[in-house]
Coordinates of all heavy atoms in Angstrom, one line a residue:
M1 N 3.8 70.7 -9.3 CA 4.7 71.0 -8.3 C 6.1 71.5 -8.9 O 6.7 72.3 -8.3 CB 5.0 69.7 -7.6 CG 4.0 69.3 -6.6 SD 4.5 68.1 -5.5 CE 4.0 66.6 -6.4
Q2 N 6.4 71.1 -10.1 CA 7.6 71.7 -10.7 C 7.4 73.2 -10.9 O 8.4 74.0 -10.9 CB 8.0 70.9 -12.1 CG 8.4 69.6 -11.8 CD 8.8 68.8 -12.9 OE1 8.2 69.1 -14.0 NE2 9.5 67.7 -12.8
D3 N 6.3 73.6 -11.3 CA 6.0 75.0 -11.6 C 6.1 75.8 -10.4 O 6.7 77.0 -10.3 CB 4.6 75.3 -12.3 CG 4.5 74.7 -13.7 OD1 5.4 74.6 -14.3 OD2 3.4 74.7 -14.1
V4 N 5.6 75.4 -9.3 CA 5.8 76.0 -7.9 C 7.1 76.1 -7.5 O 7.7 77.2 -7.2 CB 4.9 75.3 -6.9 CG1 5.2 75.9 -5.5 CG2 3.4 75.4 -7.2
S5 N 7.9 75.1 -7.7 CA 9.3 75.1 -7.1 C 10.2 75.8 -8.0 O 11.2 76.4 -7.5 CB 9.8 73.6 -7.0 OG 9.9 73.0 -8.3
K6 N 10.0 75.8 -9.4 CA 10.9 76.6 -10.3 C 10.5 78.1 -10.4 O 11.4 78.9 -10.3 CB 11.0 75.9 -11.6 CG 11.7 74.6 -11.6 CD 11.7 74.0 -12.9 CE 12.4 72.6 -12.8 NZ 12.4 71.9 -14.0
N7 N 9.2 78.3 -10.6 CA 8.8 79.7 -10.9 C 8.6 80.5 -9.6 O 8.9 81.7 -9.7 CB 7.5 79.6 -11.6 CG 7.6 79.0 -13.0 OD1 8.8 79.0 -13.6 ND2 6.5 78.5 -13.4
D8 N 8.3 79.9 -8.5 CA 8.2 80.7 -7.3 C 9.3 80.5 -6.3 O 9.3 81.2 -5.3 CB 6.9 80.3 -6.5 CG 5.6 80.7 -7.3 OD1 5.6 81.5 -8.2 OD2 4.6 80.1 -7.1
G9 N 10.3 79.8 -6.7 CA 11.5 79.7 -5.8 C 11.3 79.0 -4.5 O 11.9 79.3 -3.6
R10 N 10.4 78.1 -4.5 CA 10.0 77.4 -3.3 C 10.5 75.9 -3.4 O 10.7 75.4 -4.4 CB 8.4 77.3 -3.1 CG 7.8 78.6 -3.0 CD 6.3 78.5 -2.8 NE 5.7 79.8 -2.9 CZ 4.4 79.8 -3.1 NH1 3.6 78.9 -3.3 NH2 3.9 81.1 -3.0
T11 N 10.7 75.3 -2.2 CA 11.2 73.9 -2.1 C 9.8 73.1 -1.8 O 9.0 73.6 -0.9 CB 12.2 73.7 -0.9 OG1 13.3 74.4 -1.2 CG2 12.4 72.2 -0.8
V12 N 9.6 72.1 -2.6 CA 8.4 71.2 -2.4 C 8.9 69.9 -1.8 O 9.8 69.3 -2.4 CB 7.7 71.0 -3.8 CG1 6.4 70.1 -3.5 CG2 7.2 72.4 -4.3
L13 N 8.3 69.4 -0.7 CA 8.6 68.2 -0.2 C 7.6 67.2 -0.7 O 6.4 67.2 -0.4 CB 8.6 68.1 1.4 CG 8.8 66.9 2.0 CD1 10.2 66.4 1.8 CD2 8.6 67.1 3.5
F14 N 8.1 66.2 -1.5 CA 7.2 65.2 -2.1 C 7.5 63.9 -1.5 O 8.7 63.4 -1.7 CB 7.3 65.2 -3.7 CG 6.7 64.2 -4.4 CD1 5.2 64.3 -4.5 CD2 7.3 63.1 -5.1 CE1 4.4 63.4 -5.2 CE2 6.5 62.2 -5.8 CZ 5.2 62.2 -5.8
V15 N 6.6 63.2 -0.9 CA 6.8 62.0 -0.1 C 6.0 60.8 -0.9 O 4.8 61.1 -1.0 CB 6.3 62.1 1.3 CG1 6.6 60.7 2.0 CG2 7.1 63.1 1.9
S16 N 6.8 59.8 -1.3 CA 6.0 58.8 -2.2 C 6.9 57.6 -2.1 O 8.1 57.7 -2.1 CB 5.8 59.3 -3.6 OG 5.2 58.3 -4.3
H17 N 6.2 56.4 -2.3 CA 7.0 55.2 -2.6 C 6.8 54.8 -4.0 O 7.3 53.7 -4.4 CB 6.3 54.1 -1.7 CG 6.5 54.2 -0.2 ND1 7.7 53.8 0.4 CD2 5.8 54.9 0.7 CE1 7.7 54.2 1.7 NE2 6.5 54.7 1.9
N18 N 6.2 55.7 -4.9 CA 6.1 55.5 -6.3 C 7.4 56.1 -6.9 O 7.4 57.3 -7.1 CB 4.8 56.2 -6.8 CG 4.6 56.0 -8.3 OD1 5.5 55.9 -9.0 ND2 3.4 56.1 -8.6
M19 N 8.2 55.1 -7.4 CA 9.5 55.6 -7.9 C 9.4 56.3 -9.2 O 10.2 57.2 -9.5 CB 10.5 54.4 -7.9 CG 10.9 53.9 -6.5 SD 11.7 55.1 -5.5 CE 10.4 55.4 -4.3
A20 N 8.4 55.9 -9.9 CA 8.3 56.6 -11.3 C 7.9 58.0 -11.2 O 8.4 58.9 -11.8 CB 7.3 55.8 -12.0
A21 N 7.0 58.2 -10.2 CA 6.5 59.6 -9.8 C 7.7 60.4 -9.3 O 8.0 61.6 -9.6 CB 5.4 59.7 -8.8
V22 N 8.5 59.8 -8.3 CA 9.7 60.5 -7.7 C 10.6 60.9 -8.8 O 11.2 62.1 -8.9 CB 10.3 59.6 -6.7 CG1 11.6 60.2 -6.3 CG2 9.4 59.3 -5.6
K23 N 10.9 59.9 -9.7 CA 11.9 60.3 -10.8 C 11.3 61.3 -11.8 O 12.2 62.1 -12.2 CB 12.2 59.1 -11.6 CG 13.1 58.1 -10.8 CD 13.2 56.8 -11.6 CE 14.6 56.6 -12.1 NZ 14.8 55.2 -12.7
S24 N 10.0 61.4 -12.0 CA 9.6 62.4 -13.0 C 9.5 63.7 -12.4 O 9.5 64.7 -13.2 CB 8.2 62.0 -13.5 OG 7.2 62.0 -12.5
I25 N 9.3 63.8 -11.1 CA 9.0 65.1 -10.3 C 10.3 65.7 -9.7 O 10.5 66.9 -9.6 CB 7.9 64.9 -9.3 CG1 6.6 64.7 -10.0 CG2 7.8 66.2 -8.4 CD1 5.4 64.4 -9.1
C26 N 11.2 64.9 -9.2 CA 12.3 65.4 -8.3 C 13.5 65.3 -9.0 O 13.8 64.6 -9.9 CB 12.3 64.5 -7.1 SG 10.8 64.4 -6.2
N27 N 14.5 66.2 -8.6 CA 15.9 66.0 -8.9 C 16.9 65.6 -7.8 O 17.9 65.3 -8.1 CB 16.4 67.4 -9.6 CG 16.2 68.6 -8.7 OD1 16.0 68.4 -7.5 ND2 16.2 69.8 -9.2
R28 N 16.3 65.7 -6.6 CA 17.1 65.2 -5.4 C 16.2 64.4 -4.6 O 14.9 64.4 -4.7 CB 17.6 66.4 -4.6 CG 18.7 67.2 -5.3 CD 19.4 68.2 -4.5 NE 20.0 67.5 -3.2 CZ 21.0 66.9 -3.1 NH1 21.8 66.5 -4.2 NH2 21.5 66.4 -2.0
G29 N 16.8 63.4 -3.8 CA 16.0 62.7 -3.0 C 16.7 62.4 -1.6 O 17.9 62.4 -1.5
I30 N 15.9 62.1 -0.7 CA 16.5 61.6 0.7 C 15.6 60.5 1.1 O 14.5 60.3 0.8 CB 16.4 62.8 1.9 CG1 15.0 63.1 2.1 CG2 17.3 63.9 1.4 CD1 14.8 64.0 3.4
I31 N 16.4 59.6 1.9 CA 15.8 58.3 2.4 C 15.9 58.4 4.0 O 17.0 58.7 4.5 CB 16.4 57.1 1.8 CG1 16.3 57.1 0.4 CG2 15.9 55.9 2.5 CD1 17.0 56.0 -0.4
L32 N 14.8 58.3 4.6 CA 14.8 58.3 6.1 C 14.7 56.8 6.6 O 13.9 56.1 6.1 CB 13.7 59.1 6.6 CG 13.7 60.7 6.1 CD1 12.5 61.3 6.7 CD2 14.9 61.3 6.7
A33 N 15.5 56.6 7.6 CA 15.2 55.3 8.4 C 15.1 55.6 9.8 O 16.0 56.2 10.4 CB 16.4 54.3 8.1
N34 N 14.0 55.2 10.4 CA 13.7 55.3 11.8 C 13.8 56.9 12.1 O 14.3 57.3 13.2 CB 14.6 54.6 12.7 CG 14.4 53.1 12.5 OD1 13.4 52.6 12.4 ND2 15.6 52.4 12.4
G35 N 13.3 57.8 11.4 CA 13.3 59.2 11.5 C 14.7 59.9 11.3 O 14.7 61.1 11.6
Q36 N 15.7 59.1 10.8 CA 17.0 59.7 10.7 C 17.4 59.6 9.2 O 16.8 58.7 8.4 CB 18.0 58.8 11.5 CG 17.9 58.8 13.1 CD 18.0 60.1 13.6 OE1 18.9 60.9 13.3 NE2 17.0 60.5 14.4
L37 N 18.2 60.5 8.8 CA 18.6 60.7 7.4 C 19.5 59.4 7.1 O 20.5 59.2 7.8 CB 19.5 61.9 7.0 CG 20.0 62.0 5.7 CD1 18.9 62.1 4.6 CD2 20.9 63.2 5.5
Y38 N 19.1 58.6 6.2 CA 19.9 57.4 5.8 C 20.7 57.7 4.6 O 21.9 57.1 4.4 CB 18.9 56.2 5.6 CG 19.5 54.9 5.2 CD1 20.3 54.2 5.9 CD2 19.4 54.6 3.7 CE1 20.8 53.0 5.5 CE2 20.0 53.4 3.3 CZ 20.8 52.6 4.2 OH 21.3 51.5 3.8
F39 N 20.1 58.5 3.6 CA 20.8 58.7 2.3 C 20.3 60.0 1.7 O 19.0 60.2 1.8 CB 20.6 57.6 1.3 CG 21.3 57.9 0.0 CD1 22.7 57.4 -0.2 CD2 20.7 58.4 -1.0 CE1 23.3 57.8 -1.3 CE2 21.2 58.8 -2.1 CZ 22.6 58.4 -2.4
G40 N 21.1 60.8 1.2 CA 20.7 61.9 0.3 C 21.6 62.0 -0.8 O 22.8 61.9 -0.8
G41 N 20.9 62.4 -2.0 CA 21.7 62.5 -3.3 C 20.7 62.9 -4.4 O 19.6 63.3 -4.2
N42 N 21.3 62.7 -5.6 CA 20.5 63.0 -6.7 C 19.4 61.9 -6.8 O 19.4 60.8 -6.2 CB 21.3 63.1 -8.1 CG 21.8 61.7 -8.5 OD1 21.1 60.7 -8.5 ND2 23.1 61.8 -8.9
V43 N 18.4 62.2 -7.6 CA 17.1 61.3 -7.5 C 17.5 59.9 -8.1 O 17.0 58.9 -7.6 CB 15.9 61.9 -8.3 CG1 16.2 61.9 -9.9 CG2 14.6 61.2 -7.9
E44 N 18.3 59.7 -9.0 CA 18.7 58.4 -9.6 C 19.3 57.6 -8.5 O 19.1 56.4 -8.2 CB 19.6 58.6 -10.7 CG 19.0 59.1 -11.9 CD 17.9 58.3 -12.6 OE1 17.9 57.0 -12.4 OE2 16.9 58.8 -13.1
E45 N 20.3 58.1 -7.8 CA 21.0 57.5 -6.7 C 20.1 57.1 -5.6 O 20.0 56.0 -5.1 CB 22.2 58.3 -6.2 CG 23.3 58.5 -7.1 CD 24.3 59.4 -6.6 OE1 23.9 60.5 -6.1 OE2 25.6 59.1 -6.6
S46 N 19.2 58.1 -5.2 CA 18.3 57.9 -4.1 C 17.3 56.7 -4.4 O 17.1 55.9 -3.6 CB 17.4 59.1 -3.9 OG 18.3 60.3 -3.5
V47 N 16.8 56.7 -5.6 CA 15.9 55.7 -6.1 C 16.6 54.2 -6.0 O 16.0 53.3 -5.6 CB 15.3 55.9 -7.5 CG1 14.6 54.7 -8.1 CG2 14.2 57.0 -7.4
S48 N 17.8 54.2 -6.5 CA 18.5 53.0 -6.5 C 18.8 52.4 -5.1 O 18.7 51.3 -4.8 CB 19.9 53.3 -7.2 OG 20.7 52.1 -7.2
V49 N 19.2 53.3 -4.2 CA 19.4 53.0 -2.8 C 18.0 52.5 -2.2 O 18.0 51.5 -1.5 CB 20.0 54.1 -2.0 CG1 19.9 53.9 -0.5 CG2 21.4 54.5 -2.4
Y50 N 17.0 53.3 -2.4 CA 15.6 52.8 -2.0 C 15.2 51.5 -2.4 O 14.9 50.6 -1.6 CB 14.7 53.9 -2.4 CG 13.2 53.5 -1.9 CD1 12.8 53.7 -0.7 CD2 12.3 52.9 -2.8 CE1 11.5 53.4 -0.3 CE2 11.1 52.5 -2.5 CZ 10.6 52.7 -1.2 OH 9.4 52.4 -0.8
L51 N 15.4 51.2 -3.7 CA 15.1 49.9 -4.2 C 15.9 48.7 -3.8 O 15.5 47.6 -3.6 CB 15.1 50.0 -5.8 CG 14.0 50.8 -6.3 CD1 14.1 50.9 -7.9 CD2 12.6 50.3 -6.0
R52 N 17.2 49.0 -3.4 CA 18.1 48.0 -3.0 C 17.7 47.6 -1.5 O 17.9 46.5 -1.0 CB 19.5 48.5 -2.9 CG 20.4 48.1 -4.1 CD 21.9 48.2 -3.9 NE 22.2 49.4 -3.1 CZ 22.6 50.6 -3.8 NH1 22.6 50.6 -5.0 NH2 23.0 51.6 -3.0
G53 N 17.1 48.6 -0.8 CA 16.8 48.4 0.6 C 18.0 48.4 1.5 O 19.1 48.6 1.1
N54 N 17.6 48.4 2.8 CA 18.7 48.4 3.8 C 19.1 46.9 4.2 O 18.3 46.4 5.0 CB 18.3 49.1 5.1 CG 19.3 49.2 6.1 OD1 20.4 48.4 6.0 ND2 19.1 50.2 7.0
N55 N 20.1 46.3 3.5 CA 20.4 45.0 3.6 C 20.8 44.6 5.0 O 20.5 43.5 5.4 CB 21.6 44.6 2.7 CG 21.2 44.7 1.3 OD1 20.0 44.4 0.9 ND2 22.2 45.0 0.3
T56 N 21.4 45.5 5.9 CA 21.6 45.2 7.2 C 20.3 44.9 7.9 O 20.2 43.9 8.6 CB 22.3 46.5 7.9 OG1 23.5 46.6 7.1 CG2 22.7 46.1 9.3
L57 N 19.3 45.6 7.8 CA 18.0 45.5 8.4 C 17.3 44.3 7.8 O 16.8 43.5 8.5 CB 17.2 46.7 8.3 CG 17.7 48.0 9.2 CD1 16.7 49.1 8.9 CD2 17.8 47.6 10.7
L58 N 17.3 44.2 6.5 CA 16.6 43.1 5.8 C 17.1 41.7 6.2 O 16.4 40.7 6.3 CB 16.6 43.3 4.4 CG 15.9 44.5 3.8 CD1 16.0 44.6 2.3 CD2 14.4 44.4 4.0
N59 N 18.5 41.7 6.4 CA 19.1 40.4 6.7 C 19.2 40.1 8.1 O 19.7 39.0 8.5 CB 20.6 40.3 6.1 CG 20.4 40.3 4.6 OD1 19.5 39.7 4.0 ND2 21.3 41.0 4.0
H60 N 18.7 40.9 9.0 CA 18.8 40.8 10.4 C 17.5 40.1 10.8 O 16.3 40.6 10.8 CB 18.9 42.1 11.1 CG 19.0 41.9 12.7 ND1 18.3 42.6 13.5 CD2 19.7 41.0 13.4 CE1 18.6 42.2 14.7 NE2 19.5 41.3 14.8
K61 N 17.6 38.8 11.4 CA 16.4 38.0 11.7 C 16.5 37.7 13.3 O 17.7 37.4 13.7 CB 16.4 36.8 11.0 CG 16.4 36.9 9.5 CD 15.1 37.4 8.9 CE 15.1 37.5 7.4 NZ 14.9 38.7 6.8
V62 N 15.4 37.6 14.0 CA 15.6 37.1 15.4 C 14.3 36.1 15.5 O 13.2 36.3 15.2 CB 15.2 38.3 16.2 CG1 15.2 37.8 17.8 CG2 16.3 39.4 16.2
W63 N 14.8 35.0 16.0 CA 13.7 34.0 16.3 C 13.7 33.8 17.9 O 14.7 33.7 18.5 CB 14.3 32.6 15.8 CG 14.2 32.5 14.3 CD1 13.1 32.2 13.5 CD2 15.1 32.9 13.4 NE1 13.4 32.1 12.3 CE2 14.7 32.6 12.1 CE3 16.5 33.4 13.4 CZ2 15.4 33.0 10.9 CZ3 17.1 33.7 12.3 CH2 16.6 33.5 11.1
V64 N 12.6 34.0 18.4 CA 12.3 33.8 19.8 C 11.5 32.6 20.2 O 10.4 32.5 19.6 CB 11.6 35.1 20.4 CG1 11.5 35.0 21.9 CG2 12.5 36.4 20.1
K65 N 11.9 31.9 21.0 CA 11.1 30.7 21.4 C 9.9 31.2 22.3 O 9.8 32.3 22.7 CB 11.9 29.7 22.3 CG 13.2 29.2 21.6 CD 13.3 27.9 21.6 CE 14.5 27.3 20.9 NZ 14.3 26.1 20.2
K66 N 8.9 30.3 22.2 CA 7.7 30.6 23.0 C 8.1 30.8 24.5 O 9.0 30.2 25.0 CB 6.6 29.5 22.9 CG 6.2 29.3 21.5 CD 5.1 28.3 21.4 CE 4.5 28.1 20.1 NZ 3.5 27.0 19.9
P67 N 7.4 31.8 25.1 CA 7.7 32.1 26.6 C 7.8 30.9 27.5 O 8.5 30.9 28.5 CB 6.7 33.0 26.9 CG 6.1 33.6 25.8 CD 6.3 32.5 24.7
E68 N 7.0 29.9 27.4 CA 6.9 28.8 28.2 C 8.2 27.9 28.0 O 8.5 27.1 28.9 CB 5.7 27.9 28.0 CG 5.5 27.3 26.6 CD 4.7 28.2 25.6 OE1 4.5 29.3 25.9 OE2 4.3 27.7 24.5
I69 N 9.0 28.0 26.9 CA 10.2 27.3 26.7 C 11.2 28.2 27.2 O 11.4 29.3 26.7 CB 10.4 26.9 25.3 CG1 9.2 26.1 24.8 CG2 11.7 26.1 25.0 CD1 9.2 25.7 23.3
K70 N 12.1 27.7 28.2 CA 13.0 28.7 28.8 C 14.4 28.7 28.1 O 15.4 28.9 28.8 CB 13.1 28.2 30.3 CG 11.8 28.1 31.0 CD 12.0 28.7 32.5 CE 10.8 28.6 33.2 NZ 9.7 29.0 33.1
N71 N 14.5 28.5 26.9 CA 15.7 28.8 26.1 C 15.8 30.2 25.6 O 14.8 30.9 25.4 CB 15.7 27.8 24.9 CG 15.8 26.3 25.3 OD1 16.2 26.0 26.3 ND2 15.4 25.4 24.4
E72 N 17.0 30.5 25.3 CA 17.3 31.9 24.9 C 16.9 32.0 23.4 O 16.8 31.1 22.7 CB 18.8 32.2 25.0 CG 19.2 32.3 26.5 CD 20.8 32.5 26.6 OE1 21.3 33.1 25.5 OE2 21.3 32.3 27.7
S73 N 16.8 33.2 22.9 CA 16.4 33.6 21.5 C 17.6 33.2 20.7 O 18.7 33.2 21.1 CB 15.9 34.9 21.3 OG 16.9 35.8 21.7
F74 N 17.4 33.0 19.4 CA 18.5 32.9 18.4 C 18.5 34.1 17.5 O 17.4 34.5 17.1 CB 18.3 31.6 17.8 CG 19.2 31.3 16.6 CD1 20.5 30.9 16.8 CD2 18.9 31.6 15.2 CE1 21.4 30.7 15.7 CE2 19.7 31.3 14.3 CZ 21.0 30.9 14.5
E75 N 19.6 34.7 17.3 CA 19.7 35.8 16.3 C 20.8 35.6 15.3 O 21.8 35.1 15.5 CB 20.1 37.1 17.3 CG 19.9 38.4 16.5 CD 20.0 39.5 17.5 OE1 19.8 39.3 18.7 OE2 20.4 40.6 17.1
L76 N 20.4 36.0 14.1 CA 21.3 35.9 12.9 C 21.7 37.2 12.4 O 20.8 38.2 12.3 CB 20.6 35.1 11.9 CG 21.4 34.8 10.6 CD1 22.7 33.9 10.9 CD2 20.4 33.9 9.8

């Protein structure tokens, strides 16, 4: 892929969750969340952001009672 992108002047879109492969092949990275750009930057920063995860989403929990119990849901 590097030969194609460097020698032929093409952009290659490499999609992977394998961070070792991403770091060895890419020099820039983007992270998408729900189809929207969440982060874009050099590959080291992109991998770091990806591995940290989206703390807002990860820490958002919703507990919903069973439908037969008429209490509201609890959200943290």
Side-chain angles (χ1 to χ4, degrees):
M1 280 193 274
Q2 289 175 341
D3 288 343
V4 171
S5 67
K6 289 181 182 174
N7 297 334
D8 293 338
R10 298 180 187 162
T11 298
V12 176
L13 178 64
F14 179 67
V15 179
S16 179
H17 294 278
N18 181 333
M19 295 300 103
V22 169
K23 287 172 111 176
S24 70
I25 294 173
C26 305
N27 55 17
R28 294 193 47 80
I30 63 170
I31 300 171
L32 302 175
N34 299 317
Q36 301 292 315
L37 179 64
Y38 176 75
F39 179 85
N42 72 46
V43 72
E44 293 294 331
E45 291 173 315
S46 298
V47 167
S48 179
V49 168
Y50 175 82
L51 292 175
R52 265 197 318 267
N54 185 341
N55 290 331
T56 303
L57 291 177
L58 292 175
N59 291 325
H60 184 224
K61 308 283 188 243
V62 177
W63 290 269
V64 179
K65 300 230 180 217
K66 293 183 179 180
E68 61 271 10
I69 301 173
K70 302 217 184 308
N71 291 340
E72 295 179 17
S73 63
F74 174 78
E75 192 169 335
L76 179 62

